[in-house]
Amino acid sequence: MDEKRVTYADLKDELLLTREQIASRVKEMGRQITKDFQGKDLTVICILKGAVVFFVDLVREIDLPMTMDFMAISSYGSATKSSGVVRILKDLDKPVNGRDVLIIEDIVDSGMTLSFLKENLLSRGAASLHIATLLDKPERRRVPLQVDYFGFTIPDEFVVGYGLDYDERYRNLPDIGVLRPEVYEK
Ligand code: IMP
Ligand code: MG
């Protein structure tokens, strides 16, 4: 652990995923996606803000022609539990009709955000739609959702770092750790 970073004090001592573990998994995911989409021209969509760090790492491991777009969704507010309400805060710049779309997300929890997005983008006429997420918390799923690529399955604990936040903080940590409950219970 990098003792110099003050924000690490709010994490449980043992990191959940180190930057090295994340980097090697992201490489594997990029290789798999490159293989699976041979001959395609992708539209890769980053779900802001949580997926942004994963996105910039993953797209550089995908050796295919692609365009990028960004969408911001809110389902959480600043709490650690999903509100169930999904709202588009920033929509795509370009239409996706006829495009092969790959959504890049940080984590699937209840599954509500992504099942909303999936339906939304398919209704706009995407030719195909796939999902890549770094983390998956299967125990918390409330709606069925098919995820095509995921990095790591994690237990039902609130994690931060590598793009993931609590109340907009900790996104800049290079590793992923479990937030000490004292931090959000106070
Ligand atoms: P879902 O709609 O419940 O699947 O929520 C997914 C969204 O909740 C993610 O994009 C994250 O922003 C947020 N989220 C879920 N679990 C965590 C966590 O452990 N840490 C940080 N954000 C989380
Ligand atoms: Mg998010």
Side-chain angles (χ1 to χ4, degrees):
M1 178 165 324
D2 187 346
E3 306 288 346
K4 287 199 293 291
R5 285 186 176 253
V6 288
T7 34
Y8 274 119
D10 292 341
L11 304 188
K12 290 189 179 171
D13 287 336
E14 185 115 24
L15 290 173
L16 187 65
L17 296 165
T18 65
R19 61 199 83 178
E20 291 82 13
Q21 287 173 302
I22 297 168
S24 90
R25 186 73 184 110
V26 169
K27 246 187 194 54
E28 283 173 9
M29 293 176 82
R31 233 179 277 135
Q32 187 64 48
I33 291 166
T34 302
K35 208 165 120 205
D36 294 351
F37 291 91
Q38 278 304 305
K40 305 265 187 196
D41 180 3
L42 286 176
T43 291
V44 185
I45 298 177
C46 175
I47 307 304
L48 299 170
K49 302 170 212 164
V52 76
V53 179
F54 175 46
F55 178 85
V56 299
D57 283 347
L58 182 61
V59 291
R60 288 178 292 172
E61 301 294 341
I62 301 175
D63 184 17
L64 293 171
M66 65 167 68
T67 58
M68 296 176 189
D69 212 334
F70 298 83
M71 200 165 175
I73 284 308
S74 134
S75 69
Y76 248 74
S78 62
T80 57
K81 296 268 151 66
S82 180
S83 63
V85 180
V86 179
R87 213 154 47 95
I88 297 178
L89 303 177
K90 184 226 171 284
D91 208 343
L92 299 173
D93 292 340
K94 291 265 169 67
V96 290
N97 61 299
R99 303 284 302 159
D100 291 304
V101 172
L102 178 65
I103 299 177
I104 300 187
E105 174 63 307
D106 51 359
I107 184 167
V108 189
D109 188 44
S110 70
M112 295 174 68
T113 305
L114 279 172
S115 66
F116 164 86
L117 270 177
K118 210 167 176 173
E119 219 165 283
N120 184 282
L121 296 179
L122 283 172
S123 76
R124 303 185 198 193
S128 71
L129 190 68
H130 292 83
I131 295 176
T133 176
L134 180 68
L135 305 176
D136 184 21
K137 270 189 201 170
E139 284 169 58
R140 305 237 325 152
R141 201 75 87 252
R142 279 161 64 197
V143 290
L145 177 79
Q146 151 134 24
V147 174
D148 305 284
Y149 305 94
F150 62 86
F152 301 93
T153 299
I154 63 165
D156 180 11
E157 288 186 286
F158 198 79
V159 297
V160 295
Y162 198 71
L164 291 132
D165 73 307
Y166 168 66
D167 207 7
E168 297 300 330
R169 306 220 165 249
Y170 311 103
R171 294 192 195 276
N172 58 320
L173 301 185
D175 312 279
I176 294 176
V178 175
L179 195 61
R180 290 183 192 277
E182 306 91 270
V183 176
Y184 51 85
E185 278 162 7
K186 71 185 172 201

